[in-house]
């Protein structure tokens, strides 16, 4: 059942569909692996060309263990394998890269929706991230437009009069995680209305 968009709705859009729309798709076979990529491949489960793509998408390696590279991307995100993803990409060997500027992508999508549908919505671009020292992954916001990504409760009293000092809630991340529950990882649903 389709539901029309309304002002003040929020859209959570998967990184994958944004990356595909922005042609951020690479065939690792077209990439010549470096010595570092070959070293990673010797420890891991993927070939050296894949690791070369990961290295090119990273600013630095935070940790490398059994072929998983935890990197800082050029955006400043800390994630596994620079966000380079093989899932849900047609063509077998191709991978998607994160959008070059996820906030700009969110702004452009928001503007296009406003122009075409005549509604003012917030846009959150989400991606799946692991969590340090915890099992399982959650979706987080990597790009945002039309919504404040954080709700700062500093200097506000709680119900008992205690003044908050360091409560800064990641609202966009919470919405991205909740939206993933209805989008599903393998259901080919790239957008949810929140």
């Amino acid at each position: 059942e389709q539901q029309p968009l309304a002002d003040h709705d929020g859209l959570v859009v998967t990184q994958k569909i944004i990356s595909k729309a922005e042609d951020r798709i690479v065939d690792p076979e077209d990439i010549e692996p470096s010595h570092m990529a070959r070293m990673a491949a010797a420890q891991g489960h993927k070939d050296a060309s894949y690791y070369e793509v990961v290295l090119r998408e990273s600013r630095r390696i935070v940790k490398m263990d059994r072929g998983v590279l935890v990197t800082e991307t050029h955006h400043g995100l800390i994630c596994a394998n620079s966000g380079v993803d093989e899932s849900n990409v047609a063509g077998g060997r191709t991978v998607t890269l994160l959008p070059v500027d996820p906030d700009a992508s969110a702004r452009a999508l928001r503007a296009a929706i406003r122009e075409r549908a005549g509604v003012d919505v917030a846009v959150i671009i989400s991606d799946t991230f692991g969590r340090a020292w915890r099992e399982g992954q959650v979706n987080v916001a990597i790009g945002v437009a039309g919504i404040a990504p954080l709700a700062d409760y500093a200097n506000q009293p709680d119900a008992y009069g205690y003044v908050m000092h360091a409560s800064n809630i990641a609202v966009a991340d919470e919405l991205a995680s909740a939206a993933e529950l209805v989008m599903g990882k393998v259901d080919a649903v790239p957008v949810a209305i929140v």
Side-chain angles (χ1 to χ4, degrees), residues 174-187:
E174 290 183 333
L175 291 171
S177 289
E180 200 283 329
L181 295 173
V182 297
M183 292 192 301
K185 197 68 176 160
V186 295
D187 296 332

Side-chain angles (χ1 to χ4, degrees), residues 162-179:
Y162 175 79
V163 177
M164 304 281 189
H165 296 286
S167 292
N168 203 8
I169 305 302
V171 175
D173 288 335
E174 290 183 333
L175 291 171
S177 289

Side-chain angles (χ1 to χ4, degrees), residues 30-34 51-59 74 82:
D30 296 337
I31 308 295
E32 181 65 33
S34 64
Y51 287 109
E52 183 60 29
V53 174
V54 170
L55 292 170
R56 290 181 184 190
E57 290 297 304
S58 70
R59 180 184 297 167
H74 298 292
S82 302

Side-chain angles (χ1 to χ4, degrees), residues 37-54:
R38 291 181 200 286
M39 287 175 40
Q43 294 181 28
H45 306 288
K46 308 209 184 275
D47 65 31
S49 296
Y50 171 85
Y51 287 109
E52 183 60 29
V53 174
V54 170

Side-chain angles (χ1 to χ4, degrees), residues 43-180:
Q43 294 181 28
H45 306 288
K46 308 209 184 275
D47 65 31
S49 296
Y50 171 85
Y51 287 109
E52 183 60 29
V53 174
V54 170
L55 292 170
R56 290 181 184 190
E57 290 297 304
S58 70
R59 180 184 297 167
R60 69 183 174 101
I61 297 171
V62 176
K63 182 176 179 158
M64 187 168 117
D65 186 29
R66 292 169 291 185
V68 175
L69 292 140
V70 176
T71 62
E72 179 180 358
T73 68
H74 298 292
H75 322 85
L77 301 169
I78 307 294
C79 58
N81 297 326
S82 302
V84 174
D85 195 351
E86 296 171 295
S87 67
N88 295 311
V89 184
R93 287 278 311 137
T94 58
V95 297
T96 57
L97 313 177
L98 295 178
V100 172
D101 183 342
D103 286 331
S105 299
R107 287 191 301 273
L109 181 56
R110 182 175 186 236
I113 291 168
R114 186 181 311 121
E115 182 180 309
R116 293 181 187 152
V119 293
D120 187 21
V121 299
V123 174
I124 298 169
I125 298 174
S126 69
D127 196 10
T128 306
F129 278 33
R131 301 166 301 151
W133 302 292
R134 305 229 10 218
E135 294 217 15
Q137 295 84 29
V138 296
N139 274 19
V140 299
I142 64 167
V144 177
I147 185 174
L150 302 170
D152 188 358
Y153 290 93
N155 300 317
Q156 294 184 35
D158 68 10
Y160 299 96
Y162 175 79
V163 177
M164 304 281 189
H165 296 286
S167 292
N168 203 8
I169 305 302
V171 175
D173 288 335
E174 290 183 333
L175 291 171
S177 289
E180 200 283 329

